[in-house]
Amino acid sequence: METLIFALINGLIYGLLLFMLSSGLTLIFSMMGVLNFAHASFYMLGAYFAYTIGSVTGFWVALFLAPLLAGAAGAAVERWGLRRIHANGHVAELLFTFGLAYIIEEVVKIVWGNLAVPYRIPAELNFSAFELFGSQYPAYRIFMLFISIGMLISLWYLLKRTRIGLIIQAALTHPNMVASLGHNVPRIFMLVFAAGCALAGLAGVIGGNYLVTEPTMALAMGPIVFVVVVVGGMGSLEGAFIASLLIGFLQTFAVSIDISFADIFGFAGLAAGSEIGRITIASLAPVLPFLLLVVMLVVRPTGLLGEREF
Amino acid sequence: MTLNLKTGLTRSAVAAVVALGITAGTASAETLKIGFIDPLSGASAQTGDIELKHWKFAADKMNEAGGIGGMDVEFVAFDNKGDPKETLVQYQKAVDQGIHFVAQGVGSSVSAALTGAVLKNNERNPGEETIFFNIGGIDPSLTNDNCNFWHFAFDQNVDVKMEGLTNYIETLPDIKSVYIIAQDYSFGKSFIAAAEKMLAEKRPDIKIVGSELHPVAKVKDFTPYVQKIMSSGAEAVLTGNWGSDMTLLIKAAAAAGQEVPYFTYYGGAIGAPSAMGKSALGLVTQISDFHENADASPEQLAKQDEFEAKYPDTDYYYERTFTVLGMLKNAVEKAGGIHMIEVAKALEGMTYEGPFGTVTMRADDHQLLAPLFVSTFSDDVKRDVEKTGFGFKTDMLVTAESTAAPTTCQMVRPE
């Protein structure tokens, strides 16, 4: 029972962090048709910006400034990079973001060094929020939960209840029509790209001290974010949300399951001592999201809630 | 156009490599070069970086005292990114630069790849052999079934350390159940195997309530693992984790308010004490060949102080680097120069007076036998670690002789 509850809370927090990262990516993907390989790099930039700004101004100012900076970097990339390359087709854009991810990683290494930086949880939030089954629950995780939910509500409100949200939704599917109506579609693209990068930056700010801030953090997070976009379905924020939570729960639950292959396939004659029989579900936890990706592409190529195939 | 550019680039790259090789080759006449092959980037970069600082410090001290056989010792760093495949590339680079000694210490999987590559290289290039100083890869197979003549292990292998740690657990009758957690590769597997075997022999009353292998340097949040350990009701945890896996495991345990003893190999290694803080006092125990509060001579303490003054953000840890250079000096002098087979033969069975007692390079398997310390995180210490105000305090001394476990190594020696 307690395992279940802890896995639920931890899965929820990890899932919401994933959603914050992938919501921008899925919007950019459906709008421009570009899988932005550098998206997780903005997550990393957010964490490093917050570390540097935070060491001068404290965490709370960094919480606002760092995502804005990451968003500004994203806007610049779109305005002077992607927009020019757009004419050369999707492959050129894909290669551009691929190269960009490596450039950002190297720049981070040059500026902040190869090693992890001591980006820590602010002292105000470094206490335990409550005790559950004899285990303390850190307040910072609850804070992450609130930030994520706040972001979720504002994003939903912006897209579904405001005029700019309606235009963005229209530009997703009918860019030419929106342009004919007098809207500046390239500028909308830039704004969405910047907002997506800012969200990734925000995920970096609150995820960087919860996890570890190091130059490989983008590379470690990147593949998972793609899984979310594919499983959720192209252009579907609701799909990305469900997929994020699904992967969050899947990974945290799997860790607590000690059943081995021999227990499951014992009826087929798999011995407990054999090389395959010894593998437990817990040790498979890191692979499960990618297994989900492969199965999803085979069974339902549109993703959970997407309308187009990849 | 692009094609031309590419070939142009390749050509200049080849030229640069060739030029580098030539300069390195001529320089090796006056200096004794040791290739450092460990991660300086990637998830384990911090461990590699600190190890390199110790090597350079030990080399400086050796050079101040006249060097080895009249030659200055110089470390050449090769970044293997913690990856066995990259290690082979970097080793080849070292060999191409005319380097005859390589040192590595982060990750048993890397040590295994390197010891294989060294053996192959030495069989193919008689007269141009390489000797491998392993100061951290402690998978027991390296000094048992996969031992070879050119590999020298200066850290004590998993079985040797587990012998010491379980001797200590034998003195703690209150512990009735343990949970074992380790990294999912050769080292972690042998850690769990050794722990299960030795606990069953020495403390059959202890129940092992769980043994877990987790991915190496990939888990960023250990909370699910810690909660699993807590709900298993374990009264103590045994872990072989090192590097970020040790730091993050302890960080998650502290955040969850877990209050059971952790018996570790690397509780005192870099980053872990800062992550532990006050909540770990009296709970984290390690077994090691060195800790800062081990009884030592004033000269040894002065050496530690000098290191920490030179690198204010790093605590002194790898005493082994001095052991390697000290024994290498004696071996080179005995062999009368850098004659690789003679140097390796001189190292076999050599005894050396270290600051904490006599150490012996056992000839049977090239495993260094040294006195070990079992020590626990405490606030009652003279020298703290990582500016925490806390440090490690000796609980028990383990003599070198008592750790001399039998080996299955069939050493093949060249003529």
Side-chain angles (χ1 to χ4, degrees):
Chain A
M1 182 62 199
E2 55 217 72
T3 322
L4 188 76
I5 289 179
F6 277 120
L8 265 177
I9 308 179
N10 290 326
L12 182 67
I13 291 174
Y14 184 61
L16 285 172
L17 192 70
L18 274 183
F19 176 66
M20 205 182 289
L21 250 170
S22 51
S23 52
L25 184 65
T26 192
L27 280 182
I28 294 165
F29 187 25
S30 47
M31 212 173 232
M32 310 183 179
V34 181
L35 253 185
N36 179 10
F37 269 104
H39 197 72
S41 305
F42 291 96
Y43 158 76
M44 173 160 75
L45 282 181
Y48 274 99
F49 286 156
Y51 163 68
T52 303
I53 298 170
S55 61
V56 181
T57 62
F59 176 75
W60 302 102
V61 180
L63 181 64
F64 288 96
L65 278 186
L68 288 182
L69 268 179
V77 163
E78 203 282 334
R79 177 67 187 79
W80 288 290
L82 276 178
R83 198 181 292 183
R84 284 165 187 238
I85 294 162
H86 191 66
N88 301 330
H90 286 339
V91 175
E93 290 175 305
L94 194 76
L95 290 175
F96 172 79
T97 61
F98 192 71
L100 187 68
Y102 279 92
I103 291 172
I104 292 179
E105 188 181 323
E106 290 305 317
V107 168
V108 163
K109 279 185 191 169
I110 291 167
V111 178
W112 285 282
N114 272 333
L115 309 181
V117 293
Y119 175 36
R120 292 191 206 293
I121 291 169
E124 302 93 288
L125 287 170
N126 200 1
F127 60 94
S128 71
F130 55 85
E131 204 178 298
L132 201 64
F133 308 112
S135 165
Q136 280 151 21
Y137 208 80
Y140 190 73
R141 292 186 187 205
I142 304 299
F143 168 75
M144 287 174 73
L145 193 66
F146 281 122
I147 292 275
S148 308
I149 292 173
M151 185 248 13
L152 193 67
I153 294 171
S154 358
L155 190 66
W156 177 83
Y157 184 82
L158 182 81
L159 282 176
K160 304 281 173 185
R161 288 284 179 273
T162 63
R163 195 175 158 73
I164 179 85
L166 289 177
I167 297 168
I168 290 173
Q169 286 196 58
L172 281 177
T173 46
H174 302 88
N176 294 333
M177 193 62 188
V178 174
S180 311
L181 288 171
H183 294 290
N184 186 347
V185 173
R187 196 206 274 162
I188 295 173
F189 279 9
M190 187 177 84
L191 279 179
V192 170
F193 198 90
C197 291
L199 280 180
L202 180 63
V205 177
I206 63 170
N209 48 8
Y210 164 70
L211 305 171
V212 189
T213 303
E214 58 179 4
T216 53
M217 66 192 284
L219 216 62
M221 211 53 153
I224 301 269
V225 178
F226 287 120
V227 175
V228 171
V229 173
V230 173
V231 171
M234 179 136 77
S236 167
L237 275 180
E238 292 87 349
F241 181 67
I242 296 171
S244 302
L245 291 187
L246 191 67
I247 289 167
F249 289 141
L250 199 63
Q251 279 198 302
T252 42
F253 270 112
V255 166
S256 49
I257 300 174
D258 266 328
I259 300 169
S260 70
F261 274 22
D263 298 334
I264 304 170
F265 299 108
F267 65 87
L270 191 64
S274 66
E275 198 64 35
I276 298 171
R278 254 182 294 161
I279 300 172
T280 62
I281 301 288
S283 65
L284 282 182
V287 178
L288 288 178
F290 302 100
L291 196 66
L292 186 68
L293 170 84
V294 172
V295 171
M296 186 59 81
L297 280 176
V298 171
V299 177
R300 197 182 158 87
T302 54
L304 284 176
L305 296 177
E307 279 148 19
R308 281 178 280 169
E309 289 197 6
F310 282 88
Chain B
M1 175 58 207
T2 16
L3 259 176
N4 283 341
L5 188 69
K6 252 191 196 163
T7 36
L9 269 177
T10 327
R11 262 183 214 150
S12 49
V14 169
V17 169
V18 170
L20 205 72
I22 290 166
T23 40
T26 48
S28 63
E30 303 88 23
T31 55
L32 188 152
K33 288 196 178 186
I34 303 180
F36 164 93
I37 308 182
D38 259 326
L40 291 171
S41 61
S44 307
Q46 204 148 10
T47 313
D49 180 63
I50 287 165
E51 191 202 322
L52 182 59
K53 282 177 179 155
H54 283 79
W55 279 122
K56 289 192 163 159
F57 180 71
D60 287 348
K61 289 268 133 195
M62 180 57 83
N63 295 342
E64 277 170 30
I68 291 179
M71 290 172 286
D72 272 353
V73 182
E74 188 198 331
F75 275 86
V76 185
F78 298 92
D79 179 9
N80 69 2
K81 303 181 174 70
D83 175 46
K85 281 196 292 290
E86 182 67 23
T87 301
L88 302 185
V89 176
Q90 297 300 328
Y91 169 64
Q92 195 53 50
K93 246 162 114 180
V95 169
D96 291 345
Q97 291 188 22
I99 289 172
H100 290 292
F101 300 95
V102 290
Q104 180 269 341
V106 182
S108 289
S109 53
V110 174
S111 310
L114 190 53
T115 193
V118 167
L119 184 63
K120 210 181 275 174
N121 172 74
N122 293 358
E123 282 169 355
R124 287 176 187 166
N125 303 291
E128 292 294 321
E129 291 93 346
T130 331
I131 289 179
F132 170 23
F133 303 122
N134 174 1
I135 69 156
I138 62 168
D139 177 351
S141 79
L142 292 165
T143 47
N144 283 283
D145 294 346
N146 295 323
C147 69
N148 84 58
F149 179 71
W150 307 100
H151 167 264
F152 291 88
F154 284 82
D155 195 4
Q156 288 66 45
N157 75 34
V158 171
D159 295 345
V160 172
K161 283 185 174 159
M162 189 57 76
E163 202 74 64
L165 202 57
T166 46
N167 282 349
Y168 180 64
I169 293 175
E170 236 182 327
T171 67
L172 306 169
D174 290 346
I175 293 171
K176 297 286 179 212
S177 60
V178 300
Y179 197 102
I180 313 169
I181 181 163
Q183 293 146 312
D184 195 0
Y185 72 114
S186 56
F187 160 65
K189 285 176 185 163
S190 47
F191 180 89
I192 288 184
E196 286 176 343
K197 180 170 157 275
M198 292 181 196
L199 281 176
E201 282 166 9
K202 295 178 192 176
R203 285 289 305 274
D205 60 315
I206 286 185
K207 195 169 166 247
I208 295 170
V209 290
S211 52
E212 176 104 43
L213 288 167
H214 67 78
V216 189
K218 289 222 165 56
V219 180
K220 296 299 173 197
D221 179 14
F222 274 93
T223 311
Y225 292 98
V226 168
Q227 253 130 22
K228 196 172 163 187
I229 297 172
M230 288 174 83
S231 51
S232 77
E235 290 167 37
V237 180
L238 255 76
T239 180
N241 283 14
W242 54 267
S244 63
D245 285 332
M246 181 69 214
T247 318
L248 294 173
L249 173 65
I250 287 291
K251 196 172 159 184
Q258 192 185 23
E259 281 184 359
V260 301
Y262 268 67
F263 297 101
T264 73
Y265 281 6
Y266 300 108
I270 298 96
S274 322
M276 297 189 294
K278 205 172 175 177
S279 55
L281 284 179
L283 293 179
V284 176
T285 299
Q286 64 167 350
I287 181 157
S288 55
D289 58 351
F290 170 83
H291 69 91
E292 285 218 40
N293 292 295
D295 285 331
S297 64
E299 295 82 43
Q300 171 68 14
L301 291 176
K303 185 172 91 182
Q304 292 170 211
D305 286 337
E306 192 185 331
F307 178 86
E308 288 173 6
K310 191 171 179 190
Y311 302 107
D313 295 326
T314 310
D315 284 288
Y316 188 83
Y317 184 77
Y318 287 105
E319 178 59 37
R320 272 162 251 161
T321 54
F322 279 88
T323 314
V324 171
L325 294 188
M327 291 179 85
L328 177 62
K329 179 181 158 73
N330 294 352
V332 168
E333 280 166 7
K334 194 176 165 198
I338 304 190
H339 312 297
M340 299 311 288
I341 295 181
E342 306 308 318
V343 172
K345 283 192 170 156
L347 279 171
E348 284 197 312
M350 178 185 282
T351 57
Y352 178 76
E353 282 308 314
F356 302 102
T358 310
V359 300
T360 312
M361 180 54 73
R362 184 159 67 175
D364 303 342
D365 58 350
H366 295 188
Q367 167 69 58
L368 189 80
L369 298 174
L372 300 178
F373 301 93
V374 175
S375 58
T376 298
F377 202 49
S378 159
D379 54 358
D380 176 27
V381 289
K382 276 211 189 94
R383 302 171 69 93
D384 69 340
V385 282
E386 301 183 356
K387 303 184 180 73
T388 51
F390 313 124
F392 283 87
K393 196 176 173 182
T394 308
D395 299 304
M396 198 173 94
L397 271 170
V398 183
T399 60
E401 298 76 42
S402 72
T403 62
T407 175
T408 58
C409 174
Q410 308 273 333
M411 191 66 76
V412 182
R413 294 181 175 80
E415 290 312 306

